[in-house]
């Protein structure tokens, strides 16, 4: 019942660079969410974008949604070492519950 | 972690023993969820609750039961633990049904030997 799938699985960049990760899904959605998980911690909600929205910003985060391509992207600008984490997209899944992708591991090197 | 605690944080148990994990919230959120996180599978929903004494099965509920006698507490029980239930378990809460934002606890790492 996999819905969102992140790409790439892993990404390594230098501090100050931008990081882009993508999420593709299979069926129509009501909204799509992005979460961050630091090593050994629980997930933290970052941003929610509704199906009728195309772009949303929160601080250094920019999320886009293209429902025609069934895809979303998360852009982190001017990345910092503290952004090192796994990032998950989540969207409509089993019986109207959230279903999470397997995540993108982002490593930001100082 | 948004007023959510999980206990214990780590547990090692033997195959066949019962195990109960506790999730406690101070946010008074109506909806509570139990997930397990495994490499290669991401997060999978085990059980969820819409309110006190109102629970339902998730995607991977076999071998698990839950109870919610108070708004703030959601218990996950493994009646007879198996090695396949070795995982990291997360509790999440939400004040919106189904597809709303969720707030996660710190997780419980369970090892079944």
């Amino acid at each position: 019942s996999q819905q969102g799938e992140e790409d790439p699985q892993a990404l390594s960049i230098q501090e100050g660079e931008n990081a882009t990760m993508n999420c593709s899904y299979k069926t129509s959605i009501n909204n799509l969410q992005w979460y961050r998980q630091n090593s050994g911690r629980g997930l933290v909600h970052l941003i929610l974008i509704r199906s009728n929205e195309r772009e949303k910003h929160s601080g250094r985060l920019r999320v886009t949604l293209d429902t025609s391509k069934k895809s979303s992207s998360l852009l982190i600008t001017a990345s910092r070492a503290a952004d090192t984490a796994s990032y998950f997209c989540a969207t409509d899944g089993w019986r109207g519950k959230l279903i999470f992708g397997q995540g993108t591991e982002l490593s930001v090197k100082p | 972690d948004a007023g959510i605690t999980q206990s214990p944080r780590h547990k090692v148990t033997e195959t066949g023993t019962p195990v109960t994990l506790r999730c406690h919230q101070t946010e008074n959120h109506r909806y509570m969820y139990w997930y397990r996180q495994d490499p290669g599978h991401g997060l999978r929903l085990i059980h969820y609750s819409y309110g006190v004494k109102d629970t339902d099965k998730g995607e991977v509920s076999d071998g698990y039961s839950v109870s919610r006698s108070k708004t703030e507490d959601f218990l996950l029980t493994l009646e007879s633990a198996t090695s396949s239930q070795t995982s990291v378990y997360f509790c999440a809460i939400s004040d919106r049904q189904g597809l709303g934002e969720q707030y996660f606890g710190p997780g419980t790492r369970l090892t079944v030997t």
Side-chain angles (χ1 to χ4, degrees):
Chain A
S1 58
Q2 193 71 26
Q3 171 72 306
E5 293 186 10
E6 292 90 345
D7 170 64
Q9 290 187 325
L11 180 61
S12 182
I13 60 175
Q14 296 294 130
E15 238 179 356
E17 294 180 341
N18 295 340
T20 300
M21 50 207 90
N22 305 294
C23 172
S24 60
Y25 56 91
K26 297 185 178 75
T27 62
S28 61
I29 60 171
N30 289 285
N31 67 52
L32 187 140
Q33 304 178 37
W34 285 92
Y35 289 79
R36 182 189 75 235
Q37 184 180 33
N38 291 92
S39 181
R41 306 289 296 272
L43 278 72
V44 174
H45 182 264
L46 295 176
I47 199 164
L48 180 153
I49 186 166
R50 303 190 191 286
S51 59
N52 61 353
E53 297 176 309
R54 292 296 168 259
E55 188 169 312
K56 207 161 181 180
H57 296 255
S58 177
R60 293 184 295 113
L61 305 181
R62 173 183 166 235
V63 169
T64 60
L65 180 65
D66 186 335
T67 53
S68 67
K69 295 181 179 178
K70 293 187 170 59
S71 68
S72 173
S73 67
L74 170 66
L75 168 68
I76 304 174
T77 60
S79 61
R80 306 166 182 167
D83 294 327
T84 293
S86 293
Y87 291 83
F88 296 85
C89 66
T91 187
D92 305 43
W94 187 85
R95 292 193 190 175
K97 302 298 177 291
L98 279 184
I99 186 166
F100 292 80
Q102 295 191 30
T104 292
E105 284 190 30
L106 174 65
S107 174
V108 181
K109 301 183 190 307
Chain B
D1 289 323
I4 310 168
T5 57
Q6 293 185 231
S7 59
R9 293 294 313 280
H10 302 271
K11 185 169 183 67
V12 180
T13 192
E14 294 184 350
T15 298
T17 60
V19 177
T20 295
L21 309 183
R22 180 184 184 230
C23 175
H24 178 79
Q25 60 144 329
T26 57
E27 305 296 321
N28 202 35
H29 283 355
R30 178 178 176 184
Y31 305 98
M32 298 186 76
Y33 304 84
W34 275 108
Y35 293 91
R36 59 178 290 174
Q37 185 176 33
D38 305 286
H41 290 279
L43 264 78
R44 291 180 291 174
L45 181 63
I46 306 171
H47 280 280
Y48 58 95
S49 171
Y50 287 119
V52 174
K53 296 183 180 178
D54 189 359
T55 65
D56 206 348
K57 295 179 180 180
E59 213 178 348
V60 291
S61 60
D62 287 349
Y64 302 95
S65 62
V66 290
S67 66
R68 192 171 178 196
S69 59
K70 298 185 288 185
T71 298
E72 57 267 34
D73 289 327
F74 193 30
L75 304 180
L76 176 70
T77 297
L78 290 65
E79 301 290 347
S80 177
T82 67
S83 58
S84 65
Q85 293 176 313
T86 292
S87 186
V88 181
Y89 291 86
F90 288 99
C91 173
I93 65 175
S94 178
D95 59 359
R96 302 181 190 180
Q97 184 177 353
L99 302 173
E101 301 96 306
Q102 295 185 11
Y103 304 94
F104 283 77
T108 294
R109 183 173 294 277
L110 176 68
T111 303
V112 183
T113 61

